[in-house]
Amino acid sequence: MTDSVILDVWCELQCSDCHSALDDVRALRARYGDRLDIRLRHFPLEKHKHAFAAAQAAEEAAEQGQGWPYAEAVLARTAELGERGEAVLLDVARELGLDAEEFDTALIDGRHILIVDADQAEGKAIGVTGTPTYVIGGERLDGGKSQEGLRARIEEIADRLLAEGEG
């Protein structure tokens, strides 16, 4: 029996809205710690040509034990990613002390494409249309239009689910 609640964050690493959502993610992490399992889910959008590669790179980072730190570092550089493309993904890997050569290979051999595709398909199936979108306790909250009040709503649901879990 786990005492944690899952929060899926559907995210796109070339999306400036996702970058601004990081403050909420950090605040939720600080408030709940291990009781809230915040999962990065991929929803690369066609309009951002490097988002799909970035999602694959984030999966490689997760495999090397740095999924969220990597995603946050890439989101801090969305404009640069748009201009310089995959070079930025390798730079971030190096800065975090990850194996950049392995990133390069992973992007070439496409070993993480299935995960990214599966996330995207699941996102579409549950009605995700933009990023960030949060799903907690079966409820979908769309942060792509406005993030106003979303963190409070997530906390409300998390508190309720955690209280039910203790019962």
Side-chain angles (χ1 to χ4, degrees), residues 35-51:
R35 295 182 308 144
L36 187 65
D37 180 10
I38 303 175
R39 300 192 305 191
L40 176 65
R41 306 297 301 273
H42 302 291
F43 203 75
L45 303 168
E46 301 239 325
K47 65 181 177 184
H48 292 139
K49 64 175 186 218
H50 304 296

Side-chain angles (χ1 to χ4, degrees), residues 25-81:
V25 170
R26 288 188 191 110
L28 290 164
R29 199 179 280 138
R31 176 170 175 171
Y32 293 102
D34 293 341
R35 295 182 308 144
L36 187 65
D37 180 10
I38 303 175
R39 300 192 305 191
L40 176 65
R41 306 297 301 273
H42 302 291
F43 203 75
L45 303 168
E46 301 239 325
K47 65 181 177 184
H48 292 139
K49 64 175 186 218
H50 304 296
F52 193 73
Q56 292 176 68
E59 281 303 313
E60 179 57 36
E63 212 157 89
Q64 294 189 30
Q66 295 274 343
W68 270 110
Y70 183 84
E72 292 188 16
V74 172
L75 281 168
R77 297 161 75 162
T78 51
E80 192 186 348
L81 178 60

Side-chain angles (χ1 to χ4, degrees), residues 26-134:
R26 288 188 191 110
L28 290 164
R29 199 179 280 138
R31 176 170 175 171
Y32 293 102
D34 293 341
R35 295 182 308 144
L36 187 65
D37 180 10
I38 303 175
R39 300 192 305 191
L40 176 65
R41 306 297 301 273
H42 302 291
F43 203 75
L45 303 168
E46 301 239 325
K47 65 181 177 184
H48 292 139
K49 64 175 186 218
H50 304 296
F52 193 73
Q56 292 176 68
E59 281 303 313
E60 179 57 36
E63 212 157 89
Q64 294 189 30
Q66 295 274 343
W68 270 110
Y70 183 84
E72 292 188 16
V74 172
L75 281 168
R77 297 161 75 162
T78 51
E80 192 186 348
L81 178 60
E83 288 158 25
R84 292 182 51 229
E86 293 181 17
V88 174
L89 301 174
L90 301 177
D91 286 351
V92 171
R94 281 186 207 98
E95 285 160 21
L96 291 174
L98 299 171
D99 183 343
E101 277 179 36
E102 201 55 44
F103 272 78
D104 201 27
T105 309
L107 290 172
I108 293 165
D109 71 20
R111 69 183 73 156
H112 301 298
I113 285 177
L114 286 174
I115 295 175
V116 177
D117 280 348
D119 269 6
Q120 201 163 24
E122 187 184 327
K124 282 181 179 152
I126 62 169
V128 175
T129 53
T131 55
T133 296
Y134 306 92

